Amino acid sequence: MPAITVDDILTLPRIPSPDPVVMKERPVRSVTSAPAALEGEGFPVRRAFAGVALSDLDPFIHMDQMGEVEYAPGEPKGTPWHPHRGFETVTYMIDGVFDHQDSNGGGGRITNGDTQWMTAGAGILHIESPPEFLVASGGLFHGVQLWVNLPRANKWNPPRYQDIRGREATLLTTEDGGALVRVIAGEVAGHKGPGSTFTPITYLHASLSPGARLALPWPADFNALAYVLAGQGSAGAAGRPVGTGQLAVFGPGDFLSLAASPRQDSHIPYMEVLVLGGLPIREPVVHYGPFVMNSKDEIIQALEDYQAGRLGRIPAASMPHRHPGDADLGSEVR
Ligand code: MN
């Protein structure tokens, strides 16, 4: 799991340990296990938020852990061209390579800790696919796609694209150097990450050494979630066990904590965790396929607008795709 690493972790700024006398630790409210499914043309994903109420996820809608999978030659899969409206997709690539193109002129190649941030707003079409050389060679593939909702006031904004290179992430560590924290968006202890959002959020990837503890100050008005990409450990003061493919939802408070088990599987050197939260939007959410709106009427309008070509057109110079037909919007196309 390369993502972005650092030669000497002790050169990084330290996150001060929250003082439990003056700050309240967030309790763990639930731990859920992500079911496995197949996405797009058939790549394996874990639905990280399955079984969790939208009110606990707000302002997030959906998160897929894509892989980790070792593809044989000819096997890597992507998505067909498909639309989005009403939210932002945030794709963080840990291993492997993913190409992206959209109908608004955005796009590029992400790999090794890069993030692409696509604000669908009023409407966009896009395609996500491994490059041809990776399809030919096969290889390791591991990434995460997060959906961040837009408030009603921003759902009709023009689309926008942010390309965030892995080395732009803000790197931090704990007082004892036991954890590497990569801040992708938002801020931790005053250290800001590069991603810019309409809804305030914090999104980070932490790697905890065996036995390490990570305590993060967290805005009291944000929700707080921790998803374990790999490894074993615990969440919260009570030491609730969490492991690969599990999501911890934290209750109210000023900071949260995670700890890696002293012993990890030999092929997984660190406990890898995504920690995320944001300011809840608290508006009605109607989610159908690739659209996230405030009402059923707006979903019907999105379907009509897509059929009429008002969400964008596939560019003449489209990157290669193996399923040139329309996406089946009733299926789980992301
Ligand atoms: Mn998509």
Side-chain angles (χ1 to χ4, degrees):
M1 189 169 307
I4 285 293
T5 53
V6 65
D7 290 337
D8 182 3
I9 199 165
L10 298 176
T11 62
L12 298 177
R14 315 288 169 101
I15 302 165
S17 287
D19 179 355
V21 176
V22 291
M23 292 174 77
K24 179 183 181 298
E25 178 158 2
R26 288 173 175 255
V28 174
R29 210 153 63 189
S30 66
V31 173
T32 46
S33 297
L38 291 177
E39 179 57 69
E41 296 169 343
F43 59 83
V45 298
R46 284 194 173 103
R47 309 282 193 213
F49 292 166
V52 180
L54 271 178
S55 54
D56 285 336
L57 301 174
D58 191 2
F60 306 112
I61 298 289
H62 179 85
M63 191 165 78
D64 276 344
Q65 180 181 10
M66 309 181 289
E68 170 178 33
V69 58
E70 179 76 43
Y71 280 123
E75 227 185 17
K77 305 287 201 302
T79 69
W81 278 94
H82 60 280
H84 290 296
R85 173 179 278 177
F87 64 102
E88 307 185 77
T89 67
V90 180
T91 308
Y92 174 54
M93 208 59 201
I94 300 167
D95 280 298
V97 186
F98 221 25
D99 283 346
H100 168 101
Q101 188 182 10
D102 69 45
S103 56
N104 192 46
R109 174 163 294 175
I110 53 168
T111 183
N112 288 345
D114 297 337
T115 300
Q116 59 170 36
W117 205 294
M118 186 185 80
T119 306
I124 200 164
L125 307 186
H126 78 155
I127 183 173
E128 301 146 295
S129 191
E132 288 300 314
F133 74 84
L134 193 65
V135 175
S137 66
L140 198 58
F141 184 91
H142 190 195
V144 179
Q145 187 171 98
L146 170 70
W147 288 15
V148 185
N149 201 7
L150 286 168
R152 190 191 305 269
N154 297 116
K155 283 192 184 294
W156 301 94
N157 282 21
R160 185 176 75 164
Y161 185 81
Q162 296 173 71
D163 188 15
I164 302 168
R165 296 291 113 185
R167 63 180 177 277
E168 296 174 54
T170 301
L171 304 180
L172 305 171
T173 188
T174 45
E175 283 179 349
D176 65 0
L180 172 62
V181 173
R182 307 162 188 88
V183 183
I184 298 166
E187 70 170 78
V188 173
H191 300 277
K192 279 190 165 57
S196 149
T197 55
F198 289 93
T199 302
I201 70 164
T202 296
Y203 184 41
L204 63 88
H205 172 197
S207 301
L208 281 70
S209 302
R213 180 170 181 271
L214 172 65
L216 292 167
W218 207 254
D221 52 357
F222 279 20
N223 68 341
L225 312 167
Y227 177 73
V228 183
L229 295 166
Q232 297 295 322
S234 64
R240 186 86 171 260
V242 286
T244 305
Q246 289 191 309
L247 178 82
V249 177
F250 292 88
D254 308 306
F255 75 96
L256 61 87
S257 75
L258 296 158
S261 301
R263 297 176 72 175
Q264 302 286 335
D265 286 351
S266 56
H267 66 286
I268 303 170
Y270 300 101
M271 181 191 184
E272 305 284 354
V273 190
L274 295 177
V275 186
L276 63 162
L279 194 63
I281 296 171
R282 301 193 207 287
E283 290 175 359
V285 174
V286 183
H287 170 199
Y288 177 81
F291 307 123
V292 180
M293 303 303 292
N294 297 117
S295 71
K296 197 176 161 190
D297 283 351
E298 289 175 338
I299 293 290
I300 293 165
Q301 186 184 350
L303 286 161
E304 289 174 356
D305 287 349
Y306 171 56
Q307 297 302 341
R310 287 191 287 264
L311 270 62
R313 301 274 183 189
I314 296 174
S318 166
M319 57 187 241
H321 50 113
R322 288 171 287 285
H323 292 261
D326 281 352
D328 172 9
L329 302 189
S331 76
E332 294 290 299
V333 167
R334 306 292 180 191

